[in-house]
């Protein structure tokens, strides 16, 4: 029996209930012994989930291109290849393939939120650094990648919304959750080729006619091929709205960090 039928709640009430479940899980995780997920040593408060040593070892150890994720000698916005096309900016503190990816994935697939505070703090630090250097400009609003209502009910939470909420509180930037809607319940992108991913997401999102912002940050947990981000960004860019993507980890193409 569906939650709405059990509770008598309307759609907005069900969404609020799902968010409540997610925060209960966060609270329960915070109440457990404060040990590092990676090395299992005690973590000194106020840090939680991942100790400073393990976190630092999993973050980028070199400058990376904000377009494709290629390793650079000196930090710049784009590598030589990306300068000619200026692709979507993707801001992430780490590679999904280098240690921390497992804990980013566990947020979505296992509802394991213990690593979220450390990972979001690392993303905030990365944002501040790039902003201070003039490589990015602060957005007016955060837009989490939406889930279809069916997927939201099945999972019980939208990890992109939870990440956006964490970033909003740290950076004092509002969240916009009503204008962008996932109108098609598409199959999971995992295991699909690039062509299949693009076909799978075609016309999957809708953007309201009224959107009163010029700069946004699209929030997600992981960026892999960037198909989802590009599909959504195209809706905003048609209206000359600048889009950058903020995520906890980036799964760049093999060999780019070698």
């Amino acid at each position: 029996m569906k939650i709405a039928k059990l509770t008598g709640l309307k759609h907005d009430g069900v969404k609020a209930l799902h968010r409540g479940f997610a925060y209960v899980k966060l609270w329960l995780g915070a109440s457990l012994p404060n040990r590092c997920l990676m090395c299992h040593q005690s973590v000194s408060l106020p840090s939680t989930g991942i100790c400073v040593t393990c976190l630092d070892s999993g973050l980028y150890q070199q400058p990376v291109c904000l377009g494709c994720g290629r390793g650079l000698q000196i930090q710049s916005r784009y590598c030589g290849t990306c300068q000619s096309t200026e692709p979507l900016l993707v801001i992430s503190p780490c590679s999904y393939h280098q240690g921390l990816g497992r804990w980013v994935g566990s947020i979505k697939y296992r509802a394991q939120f213990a690593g979220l505070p450390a990972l979001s703090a690392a993303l905030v630090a990365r944002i501040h650094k790039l902003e201070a250097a003039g490589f990015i400009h602060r957005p007016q609003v955060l837009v989490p990648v939406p889930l279809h209502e069916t997927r939201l009910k099945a999972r019980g939470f939208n990890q992109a919304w939870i990440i956006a909420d964490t970033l909003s509180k740290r950076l004092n930037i509002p969240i916009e959750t009503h204008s962008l809607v996932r109108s098609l319940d598409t199959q999971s992108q995992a295991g699909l080729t690039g062509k299949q991913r693009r076909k799978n997401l075609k016309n999957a999102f809708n953007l309201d006619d009224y959107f009163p912002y010029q700069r946004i940050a699209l929030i997600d947990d992981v960026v892999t091929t960037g198909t989802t981000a590009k599909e959504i960004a195209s809706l905003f860019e048609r209206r000359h709205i600048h889009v950058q993507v903020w995520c906890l980890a980036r799964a760049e193409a093999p060999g780019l960090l070698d």
Side-chain angles (χ1 to χ4, degrees):
M1 188 175 293
K2 296 183 180 298
I3 289 178
K5 292 182 178 179
L6 284 170
T7 61
L9 294 172
K10 300 294 185 181
H11 174 63
D12 289 345
V14 173
K15 290 175 69 176
L17 186 60
H18 286 317
R19 291 196 293 267
F21 287 154
Y23 277 109
V24 167
K25 292 175 183 177
L26 281 170
W27 178 82
L28 288 174
S31 68
L32 296 174
N34 193 25
R35 294 188 179 277
C36 177
L37 292 168
M38 300 178 71
C39 69
H40 307 297
Q41 298 298 310
S42 295
V43 179
S44 300
L45 293 172
S47 298
T48 60
I50 302 174
C51 71
V52 173
T53 300
C54 290
L55 182 66
D56 287 347
S57 68
L59 300 179
Y60 284 126
Q61 302 299 307
Q62 65 187 110
V64 297
C65 172
L66 304 183
C68 66
R70 183 186 304 276
L72 303 172
Q73 293 297 317
I74 300 174
Q75 184 65 64
S76 60
R77 185 178 283 114
Y78 294 120
C79 66
T81 302
C82 290
Q83 282 179 2
S84 60
T85 58
E86 296 190 354
L88 195 60
L89 294 172
V90 178
I91 315 305
S92 170
C94 65
S95 168
Y96 190 82
H97 306 302
Q98 295 185 336
L100 294 173
R102 173 185 176 186
W103 308 111
V104 176
S106 69
I107 294 173
K108 176 165 63 176
Y109 296 115
R110 297 172 53 198
Q112 167 58 270
F113 298 100
L116 179 58
L119 291 165
S120 60
L123 175 54
V124 168
R126 175 78 167 154
I127 291 165
H128 282 317
K129 184 176 181 179
L130 293 172
E131 187 179 25
F135 295 125
I136 63 172
H137 298 288
R138 183 165 297 217
Q140 297 166 295
V141 70
L142 307 181
V143 180
V145 172
L147 287 179
H148 189 270
E149 183 177 351
T150 301
R151 187 73 58 87
L152 179 62
K153 289 179 179 179
R155 185 178 298 167
F157 63 93
N158 179 358
Q159 73 282 354
W161 185 92
I162 293 174
I163 295 167
D165 185 56
T166 303
L167 297 175
S168 175
K169 292 173 180 176
R170 288 178 174 270
L171 294 168
N172 195 30
I173 302 175
I175 304 175
E176 217 302 321
T177 60
H178 299 293
S179 298
L180 180 67
V181 177
R182 192 163 194 150
S183 52
L184 297 180
D185 186 16
T186 57
Q187 71 179 99
S188 172
Q189 295 282 82
L192 299 182
T193 65
K195 183 177 181 179
Q196 289 170 331
R197 284 170 179 254
R198 290 188 292 273
K199 182 178 180 180
N200 188 44
L201 288 180
K202 186 174 179 60
N203 299 320
F205 300 95
N206 287 319
L207 179 62
D208 281 354
D209 292 336
Y210 178 72
F211 190 83
Y213 302 99
Q214 291 76 49
R215 302 185 310 279
I216 75 160
L218 186 65
I219 310 300
D220 209 353
D221 54 345
V222 182
V223 168
T224 50
T225 63
T227 307
T228 301
K230 292 173 186 174
E231 180 69 21
I232 294 173
S234 68
L235 297 176
F236 290 98
E237 289 171 346
R238 288 171 200 159
R239 304 185 195 179
H240 307 287
I241 298 169
H242 182 267
V243 180
Q244 55 186 297
V245 182
W246 292 357
C247 56
L248 298 183
R250 179 174 195 160
E252 65 285 315
L256 290 184
L257 291 177
D258 294 346

